[in-house]
């Protein structure tokens, strides 16, 4: 097999496209993860505490998102919502909204599982000590739930990052789109997709390392117990 990786690496335009595409993929994933975890927290709390109206709506939302493909959500956000609501955004903004919605549903279910993992006896003991319901949730249940859920949140975040290549389907110049553009110019598909695989693996490992550092520094008390 005649592999010609040099046709990619010797062209500064192609290298710049890959760097810019990787940068956009990282930025959209990080922002989608941050906005997603904020939304997920509200969804998980609504379901866990059984808040009237919000609880059932949150449950329906989570099930809807988790049982439809990301690409369907992406096309609905990019092409359906603008027609329904009459607005116009750049494609990267549509991609960010779709990723946020997708991330939030998966994160919400993980957080809810974390809430359920906290022993009921801790809440009962706190009630006996005179703490109010909100104090119990904020100071006892929520920190432990987040700490217990963090490894699963990390894994889900990295998995979702690896699926973000579908945003290239609406014309966002992410890493996958950059690779497809180079492939259309060089016709070296095998070399391009090997290169994309290596870059995705490198970014995923970098995310994993950063998240593990955050886990160790933020939840030191987990190992100190």
């Amino acid at each position: 097999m005649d592999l010609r990786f040099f046709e990619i690496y010797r062209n500064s335009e192609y290298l710049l496209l890959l760097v810019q595409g990787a940068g956009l993929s990282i930025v959209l994933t990080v922002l989608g993860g941050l906005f997603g975890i904020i939304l997920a927290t509200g969804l998980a709390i609504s379901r866990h505490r059984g808040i009237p109206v919000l609880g059932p709506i949150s449950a329906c939302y989570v099930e809807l998102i988790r049982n439809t493909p990301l690409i369907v959500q992406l096309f609905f956000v990019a092409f359906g919502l603008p027609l329904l609501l009459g607005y116009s955004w750049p494609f990267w903004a549509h991609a960010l909204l779709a990723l946020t919605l997708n991330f939030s549903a998966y994160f919400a279910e993980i957080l809810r599982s974390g809430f359920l993992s906290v022993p009921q006896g801790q809440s009962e003991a706190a009630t006996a000590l005179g703490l109010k319901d909100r104090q119990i949730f904020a100071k006892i249940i929520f920190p432990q739930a987040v700490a217990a859920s963090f490894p699963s949140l990390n894994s889900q975040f990295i998995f979702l990052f690896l699926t973000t290549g579908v945003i290239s389907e609406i014309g966002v110049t992410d890493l996958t789109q950059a690779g497809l553009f180079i492939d259309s110019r060089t016709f070296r598909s095998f070399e391009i997709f090997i290169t994309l695989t290596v870059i995705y693996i490198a970014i995923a490992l970098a995310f994993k390392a950063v998240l593990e550092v955050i886990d160790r520094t933020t939840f030191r008390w987990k190992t100190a117990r």
Side-chain angles (χ1 to χ4, degrees), residues 70-109:
L70 173 58
I71 192 167
V72 172
Q73 300 163 17
L74 181 66
F75 274 86
F76 178 75
V77 169
F79 304 113
L81 284 182
L83 288 176
L84 291 174
L85 303 179
Y87 68 89
S88 177
W89 285 357
F91 283 131
W92 67 264
H94 291 299
L96 177 57
L97 177 58
L99 292 176
T100 298
L101 297 177
N102 187 268
F103 283 22
S104 66
Y106 288 94
F107 289 168
E109 201 64 6

Side-chain angles (χ1 to χ4, degrees), residues 140-153:
I140 297 176
I141 298 177
F142 187 76
Q144 292 188 77
V146 174
S149 304
F150 204 80
S152 297
L153 290 171

Side-chain angles (χ1 to χ4, degrees), residues 107 110 149-159 207-208 210-212 214-215:
F107 289 168
I110 293 172
S149 304
F150 204 80
S152 297
L153 290 171
N154 293 353
S155 298
Q156 189 65 41
F157 175 80
I158 293 171
F159 172 75
F207 274 138
K208 180 181 178 181
V210 171
L211 292 169
E212 286 179 349
I214 294 174
D215 189 9

Side-chain angles (χ1 to χ4, degrees), residues 31-144:
L31 290 178
L34 290 174
F35 295 148
I37 196 65
I38 293 171
L39 179 57
T41 301
L43 294 170
I45 291 173
S46 297
R47 295 189 67 186
H48 178 71
R49 296 178 67 84
I51 299 176
V53 182
L54 288 180
I57 290 176
S58 298
C60 292
Y61 169 83
V62 169
E63 292 303 316
L64 174 65
I65 297 297
R66 293 178 71 237
N67 288 285
T68 53
L70 173 58
I71 192 167
V72 172
Q73 300 163 17
L74 181 66
F75 274 86
F76 178 75
V77 169
F79 304 113
L81 284 182
L83 288 176
L84 291 174
L85 303 179
Y87 68 89
S88 177
W89 285 357
F91 283 131
W92 67 264
H94 291 299
L96 177 57
L97 177 58
L99 292 176
T100 298
L101 297 177
N102 187 268
F103 283 22
S104 66
Y106 288 94
F107 289 168
E109 201 64 6
I110 293 172
L111 283 174
R112 191 171 71 92
S113 298
F115 293 147
L116 296 174
S117 71
V118 179
Q120 182 66 26
Q122 295 191 19
S123 299
E124 294 172 354
T127 301
L129 292 173
L131 272 69
K132 296 181 179 179
D133 188 47
R134 290 186 178 181
Q135 292 176 312
I136 294 171
F137 184 81
K139 297 182 179 180
I140 297 176
I141 298 177
F142 187 76
Q144 292 188 77

